[in-house]
Amino acid sequence: MCSSDLTNTPFGFRQYQGTGSAPTYEQIAVPIAYNASAIFFGDPVTPLNTGYVARSSSSGGTGDTQIAGIFIGCQYLSVAQKRTVWSNYWPGSDVASSSTVTGYIVNDPNAKFLVQTDSSGAALTNINNTVGFTIGSGNTSNGISGAYLNMATAGTDNSEPFKIVSLVIDPPGSNGTEAGAYNYAVVAFNNVSTKQLTGV
């Protein structure tokens, strides 16, 4: 299948496999500052020295910021709606200045995530490479992340946040194609704060 048939529609990091079970699926609660920038479903988040987490910046290169996990939703007391709102993304406002937003992330070191690659695509030779990501633009209509893998960073740099563990090859005729631009990879955490690094 040629790469021109594939579509550039990143969706962040979608949980694919892990050791958790219903109803929590490995998620934990974390605090988000009331004035934090928007965080979308599937965005990597970074631990701050204040105890809060924030949306991670695009990564790639030596000394990448450690990530806290993958954001999957939040709850907060909405000023506009005057009620507690459960949302799959944090819009970046709509709470009182004294409020704390409760976010939910997946940070289990054994979790695996489905993610789209960039225009370079991932090949079988990229399996076991560490890799960074581009944060992209989240969708405020549905709350979904726009993050995707930055394949230019794929290699053996142990400071990168993720490791490619497999490629998606099913179903044929879609982005589930072994190789090509914008194909799908399955990644594991490489530098999540709950994981002890042991080398690449």
Side-chain angles (χ1 to χ4, degrees), residues 31-72:
I32 301 169
Y34 74 92
N35 57 352
S37 298
I39 311 173
F40 294 85
F41 183 94
D43 274 346
V45 293
T46 295
L48 304 178
N49 59 15
T50 57
Y52 296 105
V53 300
R55 189 186 193 204
S56 301
S57 300
S58 297
S59 70
T62 302
D64 280 316
T65 301
Q66 190 171 54
I67 60 173
I70 301 298
F71 184 82
I72 57 171

Side-chain angles (χ1 to χ4, degrees), residues 177-197:
T177 299
E178 182 175 296
Y182 311 121
N183 63 341
Y184 292 169
V186 178
V187 300
F189 287 127
N190 187 57
N191 79 352
V192 71
S193 55
T194 52
K195 184 169 185 174
Q196 179 66 45
L197 295 183

Side-chain angles (χ1 to χ4, degrees), residues 153-175:
T153 68
T156 59
D157 177 3
N158 202 36
S159 68
E160 297 291 357
F162 296 99
K163 178 178 283 189
I164 297 172
V165 296
S166 67
L167 302 185
V168 175
I169 59 175
D170 211 27
S174 71
N175 288 70

Side-chain angles (χ1 to χ4, degrees), residues 5-193:
D5 292 331
L6 303 179
T7 56
N8 180 19
T9 53
F11 47 82
F13 293 80
R14 183 179 300 163
Q15 191 167 16
Y16 185 80
Q17 187 178 25
T19 56
S21 59
T24 62
Y25 292 105
E26 304 167 293
Q27 64 183 274
I28 65 164
V30 292
I32 301 169
Y34 74 92
N35 57 352
S37 298
I39 311 173
F40 294 85
F41 183 94
D43 274 346
V45 293
T46 295
L48 304 178
N49 59 15
T50 57
Y52 296 105
V53 300
R55 189 186 193 204
S56 301
S57 300
S58 297
S59 70
T62 302
D64 280 316
T65 301
Q66 190 171 54
I67 60 173
I70 301 298
F71 184 82
I72 57 171
C74 63
Q75 64 166 317
Y76 57 92
L77 182 59
S78 166
V79 171
Q81 300 184 51
K82 296 180 175 55
R83 64 180 179 87
T84 298
V85 171
W86 293 79
S87 175
N88 68 334
Y89 87 111
W90 164 238
S93 61
D94 194 25
V95 294
S97 60
S98 60
S99 298
T100 295
V101 179
T102 300
Y104 298 95
I105 65 171
V106 173
N107 69 349
D108 188 298
N110 297 310
K112 305 292 188 300
F113 300 91
L114 185 69
V115 59
Q116 187 170 44
T117 66
D118 60 17
S119 60
S120 297
L124 289 175
T125 53
N126 292 125
I127 292 175
N128 293 320
N129 280 177
T130 58
V131 67
F133 62 91
T134 300
I135 197 65
S137 299
N139 186 327
T140 56
S141 295
N142 60 22
I144 303 298
S145 169
Y148 55 91
L149 292 186
N150 177 359
M151 293 307 300
T153 68
T156 59
D157 177 3
N158 202 36
S159 68
E160 297 291 357
F162 296 99
K163 178 178 283 189
I164 297 172
V165 296
S166 67
L167 302 185
V168 175
I169 59 175
D170 211 27
S174 71
N175 288 70
T177 299
E178 182 175 296
Y182 311 121
N183 63 341
Y184 292 169
V186 178
V187 300
F189 287 127
N190 187 57
N191 79 352
V192 71
S193 55

